[in-house]
Amino acid sequence: MKMTEQPAFTFRMSDEVSAARREGRPLVALESTLISHGLPHPQNIEVATASEAAVRTAGAVPATMAVLDGVAHAGLAESEMHRLATADGVAKLSRRDLAIALSGVSGAAALGATTVSATMILAARAGIGTFATGGIGGVHRGGEASMDVSADLFELAHTPVAVVCSGPKVILDLPRTREVLETMGVTLVGYRTDDMPAFWARHSGLAVDCRADSPAAIAAIIRARAELGIGGAVLVCNPVDPALAIDIDEIESWIAACIDDAPAGAAATPWLLAEIARRSEGRSLAANKRLIIDNAALAGAVAAELGG
Ligand code: PSU
Ligand code: MN
């Protein structure tokens, strides 16, 4: 006789997220790698809190994703957010890592922040179609030899969640990242721009597929793609606030000065972000904070347009 099937892992939703799902209210997924690995404390907790507030102001419910004690979470309590923002040794969970973190296997990292790829997976499972982050991962500089290409790109190719960001991170090889997005069939939409933004910089010199000037226009593209049933993402690129944007040539000078010292693998992105925050005397950090919060607001407006 077959035993009753037990789920292999637990997915705990906060009361607020559960209620919103039940009532068909708009939801926005938020990631946690930028809290644990992308920003220093206490700016990380400020940004996480402000992003949730921005989603609410726009008329949607925020669902910050993470793995706590081996349990997948959508919607975090303040104490849980604090833990992710301050604990040592929080794992950086990408697509490949999620199964391990949720398996309960002893020794597996049970406290983990979710990257863009892992957050998209959890969002899709929770039925959440809109997600906001800062900058996506992509092809690292030298990636044509090292093959260091973020799993974010493959997730964007397959998982039907709209992602609002400020473009790929400027520390990456932007032309190759743009090529891979095209090859993977990701629909790249510029919000009020024809030029793909580059994280702390407003312009990359690379074209988007389409410009959209309102959340309603973005929602129409997301709906059409969903109806095609082809999977994969609409990637909405929202340029950073001009008041905090940094000229790309100035950013390039900081990158050039430190890229050869960057570690390989998953540590590369967090190391480069911290190093450039130091070299820019906090300007990259200020831009990063602003763009994350603004992307949360735009994602909230898009989710509100889409309805549930
Ligand atoms: N946006 C930010 N800061 C970050 C990230 C996004 O403003 O730290 C994270 C996202 O979680 C993204 C990850 O998935 O950086 C990319 O890491 P990698 O290059 O190792 O794939
Ligand atoms: Mn990598």
Side-chain angles (χ1 to χ4, degrees):
M1 205 178 78
K2 198 163 175 272
M3 303 264 291
T4 315
E5 298 252 353
Q6 289 286 329
F9 67 86
T10 315
F11 196 168
R12 187 168 302 152
M13 317 243 173
S14 68
D15 291 347
E16 188 190 17
V17 170
S18 299
R21 288 174 80 231
R22 224 175 20 247
E23 294 157 18
R25 283 192 283 131
L27 281 139
V28 172
L30 299 170
E31 62 139 305
S32 44
T33 290
L34 62 85
I35 304 173
S36 299
H37 304 284
L39 298 166
H41 184 264
Q43 281 94 339
N44 55 2
I45 197 104
E46 287 164 19
V47 168
T49 309
S51 298
E52 292 204 339
V55 169
R56 288 198 179 88
T57 302
V61 171
T64 305
M65 306 286 184
V67 175
L68 303 164
D69 305 313
V71 175
H73 281 66
L76 302 179
E78 211 179 301
S79 59
E80 294 168 334
M81 195 80 95
H82 187 78
R83 208 173 143 199
L84 283 167
T86 57
D88 285 330
V90 180
K92 179 180 164 189
L93 304 178
S94 158
R95 163 180 266 257
R96 61 170 185 177
D97 309 300
L98 259 185
I100 304 168
L102 298 174
S103 67
V105 169
S106 78
L111 176 64
T114 53
T115 60
V116 167
S117 66
T119 307
M120 288 178 76
I121 292 167
L122 293 181
R125 260 197 97 78
I128 301 174
T130 314
F131 162 35
T133 184
I136 60 159
V139 181
H140 281 268
R141 296 182 188 209
E144 69 274 28
S146 68
M147 295 298 281
D148 189 353
V149 179
S150 177
D152 290 358
L153 294 180
F154 300 89
E155 208 60 58
L156 290 162
H158 298 296
T159 304
V161 172
V163 178
V164 180
C165 67
S166 294
K169 289 197 201 69
V170 61
I171 56 171
L172 300 165
D173 181 328
L174 295 175
R176 285 191 175 85
T177 299
R178 178 71 189 91
E179 283 296 339
V180 175
L181 287 167
E182 179 178 328
T183 302
M184 297 278 174
V186 176
T187 299
L188 188 45
V189 176
Y191 183 58
R192 298 181 178 163
T193 182
D194 298 298
D195 186 332
M196 183 180 80
F199 201 44
W200 311 309
R202 286 177 62 83
H203 300 288
S204 65
L206 301 160
V208 297
D209 296 325
C210 162
R211 173 189 177 124
D213 289 329
S214 67
I218 295 168
I221 297 167
I222 294 169
R223 268 202 216 96
R225 179 152 182 147
E227 202 159 313
L228 286 169
I230 55 175
V234 173
L235 184 65
V236 180
C237 292
N238 182 26
V240 63
D241 182 339
L244 292 175
I246 311 174
D247 190 82
I248 199 152
D249 294 333
E250 197 170 6
I251 299 172
E252 284 301 327
S253 71
W254 300 321
I255 296 174
C258 69
I259 190 110
D260 290 343
D261 298 326
T269 297
W271 187 91
L272 282 163
L273 297 184
E275 182 64 22
I276 292 170
R278 195 176 64 74
R279 288 177 184 272
S280 69
E281 295 174 343
R283 284 169 60 204
S284 67
L285 189 56
N288 205 345
K289 287 169 66 178
R290 180 79 261 144
L291 66 87
I292 292 167
I293 298 163
D294 289 346
N295 293 342
L298 179 57
V302 170
E305 280 292 339
L306 288 167

